[in-house]
Amino acid sequence: MTVTDDLLTARTEAIHRSGWGSTFRFVQPRNLAFWVYLALVGWGAVQLVDLIRPGTQIAQRSFAATAAIYAVAAIPFAVFIHQLDRFRSVPGKLATAAFAWGGIAATSAFAVSANDALSGIYSKAG
């Protein structure tokens, strides 16, 4: 074997060990990041329900219409994200997990509580 063959073999071995090209698996019970993801999405969902529940009792029809409009508006966005890369599209399960993170965990669990704290700082400073 030549040096070039050794380098090609080493490169192929490194690519194989890195997991490049492997399929996406959502359920990974031995991975701590999976459990943290589930906990934060779950906590965000609870926060979202607590935030929306009082408004749904007052204006049920407008809430239903708004939810339907946002669902229809999310379809072109999801198609755009799925087709973002011409040569390799994002797997559907991964896109759904990212959408759940951005729409539920990041917004409800983090941004809403941060905005409440910032609003308190603004009211005290002003």
Side-chain angles (χ1 to χ4, degrees):
M1 286 179 78
T2 65
V3 175
T4 306
D5 292 337
D6 290 339
L7 291 175
L8 287 174
T9 305
R11 182 180 70 178
T12 304
E13 179 68 25
I15 289 172
H16 180 68
R17 278 185 285 155
S18 72
W20 185 82
S22 59
T23 59
F24 172 73
R25 290 181 310 131
F26 178 73
V27 178
Q28 300 178 16
R30 294 184 181 183
N31 191 346
L32 178 62
F34 169 72
W35 295 107
V36 171
Y37 172 87
L38 285 183
L40 290 174
V41 169
W43 182 43
V46 169
Q47 296 290 338
L48 184 64
V49 168
D50 287 344
L51 181 70
I52 292 175
R53 184 180 299 144
T56 58
Q57 295 172 354
I58 296 169
Q60 291 179 354
R61 289 185 185 197
S62 64
F63 179 73
T66 303
I69 290 169
Y70 275 115
V72 169
I75 293 170
F77 179 73
V79 170
F80 172 73
I81 292 298
H82 188 69
Q83 299 298 326
L84 193 61
D85 188 0
R86 295 184 165 183
F87 304 108
R88 182 174 173 146
S89 63
V90 176
K93 289 189 280 186
L94 180 59
T96 303
F99 187 77
W101 174 262
I104 297 174
T107 304
S108 302
F110 297 120
V112 171
S113 60
N115 284 340
D116 288 343
L118 191 59
S119 297
I121 291 171
Y122 284 157
S123 65
K124 291 174 186 173

